[in-house]
Amino acid sequence: MVLAWHWGQRQNRGEEGAGASLVESAIFALFGLLMAFSFSASQGRFEERRQIATHEVNAVGTAALRLDLLPVGARTEAKTLFISYLEGRLGYLAGLGSGANISPLWAQNQSHQAQLWNLAVAQGDPARPNAVHNQLIPALNEMFDIATTRHQATQNHMPPGIAFLLALLAVLTAWMAGRALGARSGWVLHAAVYAVVVVATLGIILDLDYPRMGLIRVDYADAGLRDGEAGAVQRAHA
């Protein structure tokens, strides 16, 4: 904006036609509209992640209670596997916030899922369903499905093309604003306000889109999983 202001001081603003003003107005309107849609989409993705996290906590709690339906011989092993699964989930979620490679962590989660599932399926004859098949297996299935849904949601972000267009329009509108202020006094305050508002808005959009790396976060929901892990440990030693 400072460069554009210096350049604007050298121009005779009075010689510009209405066409130039119309183009500038259209670009500013496009930028505002794109920011509004991007903010709305990022907020929607944030809310979706928050709801999925809450659903996972509920599903984990239900599955933990229904492990008691297993026969005594398999119950201890199942609770040990369940605790390992929750530890793996917490490690996976922590990896999201640190920017680490989550592929090995997700593979570990799937391995724990397979072990739990095989153990539950082995407890009874599928031809004669019992409480394990009717209650525990559906609970495990829901817990695993929500984990997969949450994994997919973490990959859902603003398309790179839109992010590039936002950055391009931010620079372009800053140039036009600085040029327009070139012939006016008090331009520093106007330029500062414009820059702060645009940067803050774009920052919030990115913050909502990456809710484990900024100020707006969803990792508080992990406390529910930690509580579930603590409860599972307590029941395993009861």
Side-chain angles (χ1 to χ4, degrees), residues 184-201:
R184 300 180 183 179
S185 60
W187 68 275
V188 175
L189 177 61
H190 292 83
V193 169
Y194 180 82
V196 168
V197 169
V198 170
V199 170
T201 303

Side-chain angles (χ1 to χ4, degrees), residues 8-209:
Q9 279 191 317
R10 300 174 184 176
Q11 305 302 310
N12 184 357
R13 301 289 294 169
E15 293 181 355
E16 287 192 350
S21 297
L22 182 62
V23 170
E24 290 181 357
S25 297
I27 293 176
F28 274 101
L30 175 61
F31 183 44
L33 187 64
L34 186 60
M35 279 205 300
F37 278 120
S38 298
F39 184 91
S40 177
S42 295
Q43 196 277 333
R45 286 190 290 269
F46 176 84
E47 182 64 22
E48 179 187 19
R49 294 184 180 104
R50 189 186 66 81
Q51 291 181 1
I52 292 173
T54 302
H55 291 164
E56 182 175 19
V57 171
N58 292 333
V60 165
T62 300
L65 292 174
R66 293 186 181 178
L67 288 177
D68 292 333
L69 297 173
L70 287 168
V72 177
R75 192 180 305 163
T76 301
E77 182 183 358
K79 289 183 177 181
T80 301
L81 286 173
F82 192 80
I83 293 169
S84 298
Y85 171 75
L86 292 183
E87 290 175 348
R89 288 294 298 152
L90 290 169
Y92 165 85
L93 295 172
L96 289 175
S98 66
N101 181 16
I102 62 172
S103 296
L105 299 173
W106 177 242
Q108 184 184 51
N109 283 180
Q110 290 182 306
S111 175
H112 290 146
Q113 287 180 7
Q115 294 177 61
L116 265 174
W117 183 261
N118 291 335
L119 179 63
V121 169
Q123 305 308 310
D125 183 1
R128 301 178 61 185
N130 53 22
V132 172
H133 290 86
N134 292 332
Q135 298 185 49
L136 175 59
I137 288 182
L140 291 177
N141 186 65
E142 181 181 6
M143 184 177 70
F144 298 157
D145 285 349
I146 292 176
T148 302
T149 301
R150 196 172 185 183
H151 175 68
Q152 294 300 322
T154 62
Q155 315 302 313
N156 186 18
H157 298 291
M158 180 190 302
I162 294 180
F164 174 78
L165 184 57
L166 272 173
L168 178 63
L169 288 175
V171 173
L172 183 59
T173 54
W175 172 268
M176 291 190 300
R179 180 171 173 269
L181 293 170
R184 300 180 183 179
S185 60
W187 68 275
V188 175
L189 177 61
H190 292 83
V193 169
Y194 180 82
V196 168
V197 169
V198 170
V199 170
T201 303
L202 294 178
I204 291 175
I205 290 173
L206 291 176
D207 220 8
L208 288 168
D209 223 30

